Amino acid sequence: MNKKPSYSRRNFVKTSLVTSAGIVGATTLSSYATNETILKNENPVFQENNWQPDDGPAGLLFSQVGYEMGYPVRIIVRLPQKEMLPENASCVLNPSEHENRYKTSFKYWGEIWKSHWWVADFFDIREPGNWHVEVDYDDKIMFRSNGLKVDENILWDSTIEWSSVDMLERRRHFTGVGAGWQDAGTKWVESPAQSAMIIALEELLDQKKNTFNIAMLERIYTQIKVGCDYLVMTQNKAEELGFPRGSMSHDVVGHEHDVLPNDAMKAVIALAKAVQLLPAKYSEEKQNYKQSAELAYHWLLNTAKPVGEYGYQKMQRGLNNNAKIPDDEWLTRDLVTLCSAALEMNKLDVEGAKKDAFNFAQKIMKRQIQKSEAMEGFYGHFYEFESMDHAEPSWVHGIVPSDNGTQFGADIGQIYPNYLMPLIDLLRNNPKHKDAEKWRQTLFNFTYGYLIPGCEKNPFLLVPQGIFKDEGPIWFCGTFHGTNAIYGYTAALAFELAELLNEPKLKNIAYGNLQWLAGLNAGITRKNMKQGCVVFSTDIPDGVALPASMICHIGERWAGTWFQTRGVICNGFSTGKQFVYDVAPKKENDGPFSFTDEDWIPHSAAWLTGLVRL
């Protein structure tokens, strides 16, 4: 790895935003909603004399894409003070045409993120339709909004084409190298983003191939090839530059001298799965991908080393600047990725790969926080290193500043949150292995010591960004920008664990994390847009929190992004400015206080990964 001059994504925006704006046209600054105006036939402003905009955000929050029949229809009210909503306030769903009318009471959930929250759940809606939402008290309407939809497969049907092949077909034109996709708001083509999207497309084939028609399948195959061809190019580029055979450059143009094991781990999975899932007509490509995956895998096992504190942001983990980071230990998330890579290589009959997977699983389990070591009441999650006592966060991706320029290192592309899929895979396929009961217990402890209690600490069932010493669960602060990818991947993991452990709570957690992206979230406000957005802007009444889908061009109301390809997902809610480590992960700082608007295709990859299991 070579040290780079100071070159941040924010600085990159200054030189390239004009180009991007020209590409996407006039919609860049006006991408808001399918409605002509926010206020048409609705009243999103809280109607109560004791509320003023300066008191804090007030919002009526519900999914902007829609609700699945068979799952609860959850509606949330957000207010700055508990006294502002009477105890007997009701939530009413008035039909838009011939639907039934529904009514239930709000229940006070509690206070978090400097707001108070009330929840109304409808469990008995068994009909498709479109409703107007009202919050009533003594025949007075306190909120009114339109566009609540319920239908079968509404999330899938609304997004599957747009968040996968359609946006990729559009983004492939801007790489300049004939492969891969422009993966962010500007012209970045980074290896881990490509791998995440390739793997998501492969999971569509693995999980639901029979649901696609021939034309859609061909589009998926083509885009897998587009992505994998780029990964092979990164390997060729690294060898051309004199790096060890099998290693891979971070990208082909711009950061080709950054050669990172954490990039190669994900690429191995993407390439190996392509070999398994692409049809016979891609036989030549499959041979190339197999060779590339094997070279990268052997480089990882025999030559590659952890990068220590290069590109490792201590602040986002709650660590002091003088903390010593080991340079001879993989991050736990790297061990999980290596375990997945080993399992995929085993499917290609690579000698020793299955044994490698067992060994990586043992190392992962060794780092689990036991009940006797509970951290702020939580256990079952993982230490980041064997030799340190802080817990690994759900997300650490970012470009890390230093005195010698920005660093693309340990944190780059690290978007998978406690992603224990390989342990589930091992348990299902090796139920009589000597470690099978240990794998199950590890998953059980993670589920009941961390995942369920952590998600239940907020009204949206949202997975925490991490558990921090002396702070407890934190959701939004400390990161490079919003962390929308962790919600789709958590949904995928929760669905798998729900089946494995027969735990219905996990399905609601999975659904809640997906719905956060689809619009059942804390709401965009004037203040959080001003704090975090670089490109996106829209008019919002003062003091109002408006729920918005974060999936571009999808939903009654949607927010973001830069590049405007339909179906891409923006970075999402955070606390500070976008691309700046400016807010420490402390409970007093935590909340959805900024909205970060850049699009990044791993967020869509994560959405697809969760959605395909719904």
Side-chain angles (χ1 to χ4, degrees), residues 46 48 50 79-87 108 116 118:
F46 185 51
E48 187 61 36
N50 63 352
L79 290 171
Q81 298 173 21
K82 182 179 180 181
E83 296 75 19
M84 289 182 172
L85 193 70
E87 290 186 7
Y108 178 65
H116 293 263
W118 290 258

Side-chain angles (χ1 to χ4, degrees), residues 295-596:
L295 286 170
Y297 185 69
H298 289 302
W299 174 70
L300 287 166
L301 265 58
N302 300 316
T303 305
K305 302 294 181 186
V307 300
E309 61 179 60
Y310 184 85
Y312 179 99
Q313 175 54 258
K314 297 174 185 177
M315 183 274 278
Q316 72 171 324
R317 295 158 166 94
L319 298 176
N320 295 325
N321 286 335
N322 60 1
K324 175 63 176 175
I325 307 304
D327 58 7
D328 58 351
E329 296 182 44
W330 295 114
L331 279 67
T332 299
R333 64 190 339 116
D334 288 337
L335 294 176
V336 174
T337 309
L338 284 166
C339 190
S340 290
L343 288 170
E344 295 304 327
M345 297 308 288
N346 179 61
K347 295 172 186 175
L348 300 186
D349 298 322
V350 171
E351 185 177 355
K354 190 171 187 178
K355 183 179 178 181
D356 294 336
F358 294 147
N359 290 338
F360 286 128
Q362 287 180 342
K363 293 178 180 180
I364 295 165
M365 292 188 295
K366 191 174 181 180
R367 296 191 185 181
Q368 188 169 45
I369 298 171
Q370 301 303 309
K371 193 171 185 178
S372 60
E373 307 164 332
M375 186 177 296
E376 310 305 320
F378 295 87
Y379 66 95
H381 51 310
F382 297 85
Y383 295 114
E384 189 171 41
F385 297 105
E386 187 175 348
S387 63
M388 298 186 74
D389 63 357
H390 67 279
E392 184 166 71
S394 294
W395 161 293
V396 293
H397 165 75
I399 303 168
V400 178
S402 75
D403 293 338
N404 297 315
T406 54
Q407 296 179 350
F408 287 63
D411 288 353
I412 205 77
Q414 302 287 31
I415 59 174
Y416 290 92
N418 296 291
Y419 203 56
L420 299 177
M421 291 297 200
L423 294 189
I424 297 174
D425 189 309
L426 284 169
L427 182 58
R428 284 178 173 159
N429 293 307
N430 303 274
K432 295 184 179 180
H433 189 273
K434 64 182 180 63
D435 286 341
E437 186 53 39
K438 293 180 181 178
W439 300 331
R440 177 177 290 276
Q441 191 62 46
T442 299
L443 295 166
F444 183 92
N445 289 346
F446 171 79
T447 298
Y448 291 99
Y450 166 74
L451 186 58
I452 291 176
C455 292
E456 288 181 344
K457 290 293 184 182
N458 68 89
F460 300 92
L461 300 178
L462 200 64
V463 68
Q465 155 61 2
I467 308 297
F468 293 80
K469 281 189 174 182
D470 302 322
E471 301 293 335
I474 296 292
W475 281 267
F476 300 105
C477 50
T479 58
F480 190 56
H481 52 55
T483 61
N484 270 344
I486 69 175
Y487 310 126
Y489 288 127
T490 293
L493 181 62
F495 279 130
E496 294 288 348
L497 288 170
E499 180 179 343
L500 183 72
L501 302 175
N502 192 28
E503 176 51 77
K505 286 184 177 181
L506 290 166
K507 288 188 175 181
N508 287 333
I509 285 171
Y511 187 59
N513 278 269
L514 287 177
Q515 283 290 10
W516 179 267
L517 303 173
L520 180 56
N521 50 50
I524 55 173
T525 67
R526 283 188 183 181
K527 287 185 177 180
N528 64 24
M529 282 195 304
K530 183 177 180 181
Q531 177 74 355
C533 287
V534 174
V535 174
F536 175 72
S537 177
T538 193
D539 294 327
I540 297 178
D542 194 18
V544 172
L546 288 173
S549 161
M550 291 182 275
I551 312 171
C552 187
H553 290 285
I554 305 292
E556 286 291 305
R557 181 186 296 117
W558 52 272
T561 53
W562 293 9
F563 198 61
Q564 294 287 298
T565 47
R566 187 178 182 184
V568 75
I569 296 176
C570 64
N571 290 326
F573 293 94
S574 186
T575 51
K577 294 186 180 301
Q578 200 162 205
F579 318 128
V580 182
Y581 294 102
D582 56 351
V583 181
K586 294 182 177 294
K587 186 176 293 187
E588 64 187 23
N589 299 333
D590 198 29
F593 304 141
S594 72
F595 183 74
T596 58

Side-chain angles (χ1 to χ4, degrees), residues 183-235:
D183 61 63
T186 47
K187 293 185 177 181
W188 295 72
V189 193
E190 298 175 279
S191 171
Q194 313 297 304
S195 293
M197 182 51 75
I198 296 165
I199 294 167
L201 295 175
E202 292 162 343
E203 294 228 357
L204 295 181
L205 298 178
D206 204 26
Q207 298 278 336
K208 286 193 175 181
K209 180 180 178 180
N210 293 335
T211 66
F212 298 114
N213 60 31
I214 294 175
M216 183 67 173
L217 283 174
E218 290 299 326
R219 294 171 75 187
I220 294 173
Y221 296 147
T222 298
Q223 293 310 308
I224 290 174
K225 177 184 180 299
V226 168
C228 287
D229 285 351
Y230 185 80
L231 295 181
V232 173
M233 290 174 69
T234 67
Q235 192 173 66

Side-chain angles (χ1 to χ4, degrees), residues 35-84:
N35 296 338
E36 290 181 333
T37 173
I38 297 170
L39 302 178
K40 185 178 180 181
N41 298 323
E42 61 179 335
N43 187 4
V45 180
F46 185 51
Q47 299 299 299
E48 187 61 36
N49 292 333
N50 63 352
W51 174 79
Q52 297 297 323
D54 289 342
D55 293 336
L60 173 60
L61 312 170
F62 59 95
S63 177
Q64 297 297 292
V65 178
Y67 296 87
E68 298 285 339
M69 283 207 291
Y71 280 87
V73 173
R74 172 162 286 196
I75 297 164
I76 294 176
V77 164
R78 176 185 182 182
L79 290 171
Q81 298 173 21
K82 182 179 180 181
E83 296 75 19
M84 289 182 172

Side-chain angles (χ1 to χ4, degrees), residues 233-251:
M233 290 174 69
T234 67
Q235 192 173 66
N236 293 339
K237 174 60 71 172
E239 186 170 1
E240 174 190 319
L241 295 173
F243 291 98
R245 192 164 191 237
S247 62
M248 308 179 97
S249 293
H250 183 68
D251 61 20

